[in-house]
Amino acid sequence: MGWTFKLHGGVAAGLGATLLLLATLTWLPGALPFTGARWLAAAIFVSLFLTFASALVRLIMRSADKHAIWMAFRCLPGKVQMALGALALWGVVLLVFSTATEGNLQSAEVRDGRYVAFDTTPHARDTVEISQSRYQDVLESDQRTMLAIPGVLFLGAAYAVLAAGELRRADGAVVPSGVT
């Protein structure tokens, strides 16, 4: 596997792990310092788009089926497989627990000195007033989701690019049938 595949996969896995760590930190008391930062969401989106799109292009260029991609991933060193698997499991568990505990409120904000959030309860969708502590809980839940979903997608990009690198290495090792 070429060094560009390793670098691309490492950056994607590192960004995914960082986002999952930040999402996990939202369960600690107090708010994270960048709760209202709009630039963070834009930076995550742009880097995720570039990383994920280029990983998919690399994988598509190999034109392999799902089984070949899985077998290429299985050819990676065991520590890499274990690290990506553990991070992906961490991300899925984080999303499941976040979804189970968040309730029906989202998009908390302050309007005219009052704390409000959008209630997504079926047949009662409306903006409702909430307490300050519930406001903080909804903010943390929104932030957890905003960090965990891109984190898992970054790990998917790492999987794709590392599997594509293994496929490329395997394709280069195949001797054409007419050569002795």
Side-chain angles (χ1 to χ4, degrees):
M1 175 182 335
W3 66 271
T4 60
F5 287 94
K6 292 177 185 176
L7 179 66
H8 188 178
V11 167
L15 288 172
T18 302
L19 289 176
L20 291 178
L21 176 64
L22 290 173
T24 303
L25 289 176
T26 61
W27 269 309
L28 293 177
L32 290 176
F34 46 83
T35 301
R38 298 269 184 225
W39 63 267
L40 179 63
I44 289 171
F45 176 76
V46 168
S47 60
L48 177 63
F49 178 76
L50 294 174
T51 304
F52 202 80
S54 60
L56 287 179
V57 166
R58 285 182 140 178
L59 193 59
I60 290 170
M61 289 180 64
R62 297 288 105 202
S63 66
D65 62 347
K66 287 187 267 187
H67 180 70
I69 294 168
W70 175 247
M71 294 308 293
F73 178 73
R74 298 282 298 155
C75 290
L76 291 171
K79 290 180 181 180
V80 174
Q81 291 178 37
M82 186 67 88
L84 281 176
L87 287 170
L89 181 64
W90 176 22
V92 169
V93 167
L94 188 65
L95 284 170
V96 167
F97 280 126
S98 177
T99 304
T101 60
E102 76 182 20
N104 294 328
L105 298 177
Q106 63 185 16
S107 303
E109 59 183 295
V110 178
R111 287 188 195 162
D112 302 324
R114 299 178 334 181
Y115 299 103
V116 295
F118 186 71
D119 188 1
T120 61
T121 306
H123 307 296
R125 299 174 75 89
D126 197 14
T127 302
V128 294
E129 188 171 350
I130 56 176
S131 66
Q132 182 180 8
S133 62
R134 188 69 179 132
Y135 168 77
Q136 289 296 330
D137 292 341
V138 173
L139 274 182
E140 288 176 357
S141 176
D142 287 349
Q143 192 174 41
R144 189 176 308 118
T145 303
M146 182 195 76
L147 294 169
I149 290 174
V152 171
L153 291 175
F154 270 119
L155 294 174
Y159 167 83
V161 76
L162 291 174
E166 276 299 305
L167 286 170
R168 182 172 181 262
R169 184 191 59 78
D171 288 346
V174 173
V175 178
S177 60
V179 179
T180 55

